[in-house]
Amino acid sequence: MLTSDEAMAAGDAGDDVILVRPETTPDDVLGMQASKGILTTRGGQTSHAAVVARGWGIPAVVGAAEAHIDGTEVTIGEHRLSAGDIITIDGATGAVYPGRLATAGAEPPPELHTLLAWADSVARGHVQVRANADTKGDASHGRELGAQGIGLCRTEHMFLAHDRLPIMRRFILSDDPVTEAAALAELEEAQSHDFETVLEAMDTLPVTIRLLDPPLHEFLPDLLDLTAREAAGELSDEERTALTAVRRLHESNPMLGTRGVRLGAVRPGVYQMQVRALCRAAAKLFARGKQPHVEIMIPLVVDAEELRIARGWVRDVLDEIGHPELKSTVVTFGVMIETPRAALVAGEVARYADFFSFGTNDLTQMTYAFSRDDVEARLLPAYQQLGILPANPFAELDQQGVGQLVQMAAESARVTNPDIKLGACGEHAGDPESAAFLVRLGVDSVSCSPFRVPMARLGVAQALLECGRVHVNDVEFDFDDVATGPGEPAAEAAEAAEATPTAAGDEAGDATGDAIAVDEALVLHVLRVRGFVTPDGFTASLGEHPSEILAALVEQGAVRHIEQRDMFGLLPPGKERQESLLDSYADDAVRSGLACLLYTTDAADEHRD
């Protein structure tokens, strides 16, 4: 279907729908909810369509530059399609197929739960992995996948439901205080219910509520559509009023205009309404014996004075509500660091914040001056091919540029406020390399889409061990409640794991602490377990970079070297060689432990594939 209205109608009729759009916006959310998949001709991995689809666990193909939408038809190569035609999409590869193909799902093996349980043991007390969730369903699913809270609840999505959007538009279009106050009261009632369901789903766990972020025009009808219909003489009186408001609110670059905390300043009452709704929801849960843990986050801050004023709005509402538990540490106040200036003046901003959450998606966009919806389909592939960029900075955090802003902000914030909590809520948290960088900087939490939580749990644990924030000998693993390899009792797995050589930021050694002799078998083992490994990675795992052994393995065709990234990866002959060398370990316990670790690693890789 080519419009959200068509998708909703078809979905209500019981049809399986793929929504095809040039790009999606918050206006399309209802149509996206009715769809089984999404296809856009623009955008990339952090576009609206991609982020929403990941959060809901539905396939999406974004930035399909070879697809062209012309009125009621879509052209993909030699195929011309109309609304109602059947296609199949593969969100993993970006492929689009004509007709209906057979599809199948997969259940995670028990060994994956074992691996994730070990990862949680490593991360416990150091870094929380949270989910980005806006609804009770997202929150519950994130918790099922191991999320330890919500790191980003986008409250604007709550205003887009069919029964909320008219109220929001009435508030935006109001031209007198009475109408505006009535609309805000209706929105408060609706949002209080939404907050209550999300907080209840995450009972006892922290929930970071980001107050309204997008510009108001996103809640109004499209300017071009209204203008075209005006020229055709098709507008009703109500639509003419809407067109006047849309023109009044129109900005040349709205994503850098009146949004976030700026909106709270120019439309007084919006943020106060949201905080009242949040407090009402929390108070109801307290009365029912629940334990909500609320974190209020202000978006798009560029100056400490903005945050001081915004904190005053929140404090005034808390004083107005007067609930004793809401004045305790149950409610904390923080800021989303997503502009370069906020990162540069983070020391001043930290004076008024209990926590920072780095919005790495927007921070990347603003630092590069890239519009992520425009560059990911055409510009970034060309830049990567030319060697200008080693990777898509929206998929893998740019440690040299954006990462330095994050590091500067973290360091200066801690100087001003040593107790400040630091987190990251951009989609980079679901990328292992990016999560590792953030963990090395000392973040207290990372947050990503619910379906990426398991990978983030594993990546955070690996990073904690690799950078030395956690030493494996200090971790208390619970081997009684996790799955083991086939035929291996839990007690034997524990004994084997305790005898396994350690390599996490600690000096590699055997059970007695003596140094392990680095040989071909151990190098291949590190490659097998860790995947692609840099020289620093080898040093962290083995205490040295085995350059001569690696050179020989590359020459033999067992290992490949990616020169551009200076990374090494295991090839199939190397995997076979590694398995054959397991017998070189004289210690039966060590050999058994290594085999068990490889079994669970392979099982997780198989599930991920």
Side-chain angles (χ1 to χ4, degrees), residues 527-579:
L527 284 164
R528 178 81 178 274
V529 172
R530 298 189 57 177
F532 290 102
V533 187
T534 63
D536 288 343
F538 280 112
T539 301
S541 292
L542 302 174
E544 63 180 85
H545 175 46
S547 54
E548 293 184 5
I549 297 176
L550 284 169
L553 290 170
V554 170
E555 186 176 352
Q556 296 166 14
V559 172
R560 65 167 170 161
H561 180 218
I562 305 173
E563 294 186 7
Q564 187 177 15
R565 306 294 299 279
D566 197 13
M567 299 173 71
F568 296 86
L570 201 61
L571 293 171
K575 182 177 179 180
E576 294 176 3
R577 174 69 173 159
Q578 190 277 336
E579 291 173 346

Side-chain angles (χ1 to χ4, degrees), residues 238-358:
E238 183 179 347
E239 288 171 328
R240 277 193 289 272
T241 301
L243 177 57
T244 300
V246 171
R247 284 173 171 162
R248 173 169 50 85
L249 294 170
H250 177 71
E251 295 179 303
S252 298
N253 194 341
M255 298 314 292
L256 298 180
T258 309
R259 52 172 286 224
V261 68
R262 305 165 192 176
L263 182 59
V266 301
R267 290 299 296 263
V270 176
Y271 276 10
Q272 290 88 336
M273 174 274 292
Q274 290 192 289
V275 176
R276 277 197 302 272
L278 186 55
C279 289
R280 287 177 55 191
K284 289 180 181 178
L285 292 174
F286 282 129
R288 289 161 48 198
K290 304 294 183 180
Q291 300 178 49
H293 182 173
V294 180
E295 299 176 347
I296 297 175
M297 182 163 69
I298 306 297
L300 213 73
V301 165
V302 297
D303 191 83
E305 185 64 9
E306 282 178 317
L307 194 62
R308 186 193 68 79
I309 293 172
R311 185 163 190 142
W313 300 335
V314 174
R315 185 181 59 249
D316 290 345
V317 173
L318 292 177
D319 291 340
E320 173 192 330
I321 298 294
H323 194 289
E325 290 180 276
L326 291 176
K327 290 187 176 183
S328 68
T329 55
V330 171
V331 177
T332 55
F333 181 84
V335 59
M336 194 169 186
I337 303 293
E338 54 192 321
T339 68
R341 191 179 194 278
L344 292 171
V345 299
E348 289 296 310
V349 174
R351 293 165 54 198
Y352 305 106
D354 302 313
F355 68 89
F356 277 4
S357 183
F358 292 97

